[in-house]
Amino acid sequence: MSKIKGYAMLKIGQPGWIEKERPVCGPTDALCKPLAIAICTSDVHTLWEGAIGERHNLVLGHECCAVVDEVGSLVKDFKPGDKVLVPAITPDWNSLEAQAGYSMHSGGMLAGWKFSNIKDGVFSEVFHVNDADGNLAHLPANISPEDACMLSDMVPTGFHGAELADIQFGDIVLVIGIGPVGLMSVAGANLRGASRILAVGTRPKCVEAAKGYGASDFISYKNGSIEEQVLELTDGKGVDKVIIAGGNVDTFASAVKALKPGGKIGNVNYLGSGLNISIPRVEWGVGMGHKQINGGLMPGGRLRMEKLGALVSSGRLDVSPLSSHVFNGWENVEKALFLMRDKPADLIKPVVKVA
Ligand code: NDP
Ligand code: ZN
């Protein structure tokens, strides 16, 4: 068996390079080699916050585009040499959870999230994809490797925030957090017809990008409470919908307070720490305010990749502003990961081209 190298979480707080056996390709699986990889804030939560618990020698990463290296005997639509979009979430499509409409929880809560959670991730010379026909998508020829990486997680997660908040034509929408995920929530809310988008965040590069994606008003969580600023900007009425793509367990209280009765909250933030989320009793209509709170992991799979890829390849969605830092070569993975942890003012998303 040949050996492959991967950049791994050795244990909580300690990343490093390791060697592993090349994975085994089952009949419906594919083995792929990354063309480019992107670092996610979730890698930071997992590695430094230990947000999903201890992991030993687990290869990190779930965002990449790749070239197929090997396929199993039952794979119909992909062959070695095909360039592919790879979703961060790769469900088991035969599972009962997938049949119930929640493929991201196939096999258990969040278990559609396999890369860098329950198996080795994509920061590896070769990585394994389950259910290749159901999870991979052919990479459209006019999408660059950097942009393709944004389709693994940033676009599907940000857009899922807009779905969870059920954005309707004319809605006034608050997007809390405008890192790369929140920026895609702004873009998603805009595409779904929001009339006004209030964006919460401070990094100047993100603020500038949010303007480009359709944000109309800006709020700094560093300048007092979010809800007070929202109420001031909306003549005391609040917003129809809230998408949470940043902050912490306390952010939900602000979202509930900023929301009109009958409003909906869509959370895609990965809550890395804190025991409980508290909901303010009075502003939640003493239990009767019809303020819905939804939180979800992005849906993965091939159909979603193809549809979101089509939005990018047709020019309806420009994801190029997200890749603020582009490096060449595996040796830069570590630098990119530490950048994502430290979040300098000019960072949106680091990408590393590895082929
Ligand atoms: P970033 O850290 O780049 O962005 C976070 C945003 O939240 C920034 O705009 C930041 O502002 C803002 N923020 C920070 N603190 C607060 C606060 N106290 N109140 C309000 N806003 C605040 O993260 P990403 O965009 O990369 O990711 C966002 C989240 O989504 C992460 O938790 C990530 O793990 C999660 N995620 C979830 C997935 C899913 O499937 N549900 C998949 C992928 C990611 P500032 O400009 O000041 O930095
Ligand atoms: Zn991610």
Side-chain angles (χ1 to χ4, degrees), residues 28-162:
T28 59
D29 305 340
L31 299 188
C32 296
K33 292 182 165 182
L35 294 168
I37 55 150
I39 318 286
C40 185
T41 303
S42 301
D43 294 312
V44 173
H45 289 311
T46 300
L47 170 62
W48 277 290
E49 289 177 31
I52 52 170
E54 187 58 281
R55 297 286 191 280
H56 290 288
N57 299 333
L58 179 78
V59 175
L60 288 164
H62 51 265
E63 300 183 14
C64 75
C65 62
V67 60
V68 175
D69 195 52
E70 182 181 341
V71 292
S73 57
L74 298 178
V75 173
K76 294 191 291 287
D77 298 334
F78 298 90
K79 58 181 187 321
D82 287 350
K83 291 182 177 176
V84 286
L85 295 168
V86 183
I89 305 303
T90 53
D92 300 307
W93 290 99
N94 281 333
S95 66
L96 297 183
E97 292 87 353
Q99 291 178 30
Y102 291 94
S103 59
M104 61 292 270
H105 302 297
S106 61
M109 176 97 81
L110 307 181
W113 171 24
K114 300 185 187 305
F115 293 133
S116 68
N117 180 16
I118 53 182
K119 72 173 183 188
D120 283 327
V122 304
F123 297 171
S124 177
E125 287 172 332
V126 176
F127 66 91
H128 170 270
V129 180
N130 59 295
D131 200 347
D133 281 327
N135 283 318
L136 295 173
H138 290 282
L139 173 66
N142 66 346
I143 299 184
S144 69
E146 300 91 298
D147 286 0
C149 288
M150 300 305 120
L151 283 158
S152 289
D153 190 356
M154 297 300 94
V155 181
T157 295
F159 276 35
H160 194 45

Side-chain angles (χ1 to χ4, degrees), residues 230-258:
V230 169
L231 293 172
E232 204 169 299
L233 284 165
T234 55
D235 296 327
K237 293 193 178 78
V239 295
D240 299 300
K241 307 286 166 60
V242 182
I243 303 172
I244 302 179
N248 51 43
V249 287
D250 299 327
T251 308
F252 287 81
S254 294
V256 168
K257 289 177 186 171

